[in-house]
Amino acid sequence: MNFLQTQDLEVDYGGIRAVKGVDLTVKYNELVCLIGANGAGKTTTLKSLCGMLRPSRGEILYEGRAITGKRSYELVRRGISLVPEGRGIFGRLTVEENLMIGAYTRRDHTGIRSDLENIYSLFPRLLERRTQQAGTLSGGEQQMLAIGRALMSRPRLLLLDEPSMGLAPMLVKKIFETIKRIAEEGVTILLVEQNAKLALAISHRGYVMESGKITLSDNADVLLKDPKVQQAYLGG
Ligand code: ATP
């Protein structure tokens, strides 16, 4: 059974259709990436999966059950968590306060404590800066915080929107290594990225999106060698 599946998904902004009949699947424990140029509809797809946008047509199935049109808070409870583009952290709050916000639906205090420790071991930089105001963190540290905060909800499905955006190459590499590690620890991941090369390098499978439609999908190693992908997204 597919862990996540969309069927003929369409999402509109007013009269403009941004997602035009998308079918994609993510299996349990898979790391799948969705790549494509600016404005292809990647973010819109993710937003519809986590309940931030209501699809105008089609179905979203999670663990075989329809979740189409359900609200974000309900989906967080069911294990779906989004790390938004631009990170969306609370700048006036400390690093640790931001992390604790990620656990707002939980009541298992021991579990919360141990997850906090895990996140600090995944991102030692956040431990060093746990009492610092989040707005004063560097871009890379804010990205780590956004991922850490999503992990605090103990997601089963993590949706990541362009985690490499605005980061120096060294840091991008580190963030991607961490994403891979999170996946290896048993979190299913759907990763939206413009950095196709790095995204495909850590993913099992990939989808290419163009003008609101999926135009290619295959195993990541196959896509990496595909001449069309190489030309359009990997710089020839
Ligand atoms: P990027 O990689 O640049 O983030 P994307 O693939 O994530 O691009 P989307 O952000 O999903 O693309 O945008 C898809 C299309 O929908 C674009 O043409 C965009 O202009 C349009 N769009 C996005 N948000 C809105 C909105 N709130 N209102 C109207 N149109 C929107």
Side-chain angles (χ1 to χ4, degrees):
M1 184 181 66
N2 290 310
F3 193 50
L4 177 77
Q5 179 172 15
T6 70
Q7 295 172 334
D8 198 19
L9 191 69
E10 287 186 4
V11 189
D12 299 325
Y13 293 108
I16 299 160
R17 183 148 301 157
V19 174
K20 305 169 183 168
V22 161
D23 295 290
L24 61 81
T25 60
V26 182
K27 293 196 175 62
Y28 187 66
N29 267 357
E30 240 186 346
L31 201 178
V32 174
C33 66
L34 179 58
I35 59 176
N38 284 119
K42 307 181 297 296
T43 297
T44 306
T45 304
L46 275 199
K47 282 186 175 168
S48 71
L49 296 177
C50 71
M52 284 170 72
L53 286 173
R54 184 183 276 270
S56 39
R57 188 190 152 107
E59 287 281 12
I60 303 167
L61 304 173
Y62 175 60
E63 299 183 292
R65 295 204 199 114
I67 55 160
T68 326
K70 295 227 181 287
R71 306 285 185 83
S72 293
Y73 68 85
E74 198 177 324
L75 298 178
V76 171
R77 275 209 183 87
R78 286 168 71 168
I80 302 179
S81 190
L82 170 77
V83 179
E85 196 175 8
R87 294 138 202 175
I89 59 161
F90 298 97
R92 305 290 284 273
L93 302 183
T94 66
V95 165
E96 189 149 305
E97 284 163 347
N98 268 278
L99 289 173
M100 292 307 285
I101 285 171
Y104 78 100
T105 59
R106 297 172 59 183
R107 294 287 168 270
D108 56 322
H109 296 285
T110 336
I112 290 173
R113 272 282 132 205
S114 89
D115 285 351
L116 197 59
E117 298 310 316
N118 280 343
I119 286 157
Y120 285 142
S121 71
L122 206 56
F123 298 113
R125 188 70 73 86
L126 295 182
L127 177 62
E128 284 165 28
R129 292 166 188 275
R130 53 193 284 255
T131 59
Q132 186 173 326
Q133 266 200 348
T136 64
L137 294 174
S138 74
E141 289 161 354
Q142 290 190 13
Q143 187 61 61
M144 295 174 199
L145 180 57
I147 296 174
R149 186 183 56 190
L151 290 176
M152 284 301 287
S153 70
R154 210 174 257 195
R156 300 170 61 225
L157 174 65
L158 186 62
L159 307 172
L160 292 166
D161 198 355
E162 294 205 25
S164 77
M165 206 212 282
L167 303 187
M170 272 298 289
L171 205 51
V172 171
K173 209 163 156 257
K174 187 159 186 296
I175 291 279
F176 275 69
E177 278 163 13
T178 311
I179 292 169
K180 193 164 174 232
R181 201 167 134 202
I182 293 166
E184 283 162 1
E185 283 171 8
V187 180
T188 305
I189 296 180
L190 179 59
L191 166 67
V192 158
E193 255 300 330
Q194 286 217 32
N195 192 329
K197 194 172 184 177
L198 282 178
L200 288 168
I202 61 165
S203 297
H204 299 115
R205 285 189 305 119
Y207 289 90
V208 178
M209 195 165 188
E210 285 170 42
S211 308
K213 293 183 178 153
I214 301 293
T215 52
L216 268 177
S217 74
D218 216 319
N219 287 336
D221 52 346
V222 177
L223 287 181
L224 270 172
K225 289 188 206 121
D226 186 292
K228 278 179 286 190
V229 174
Q230 289 202 339
Q231 207 191 355
Y233 306 106
L234 306 174

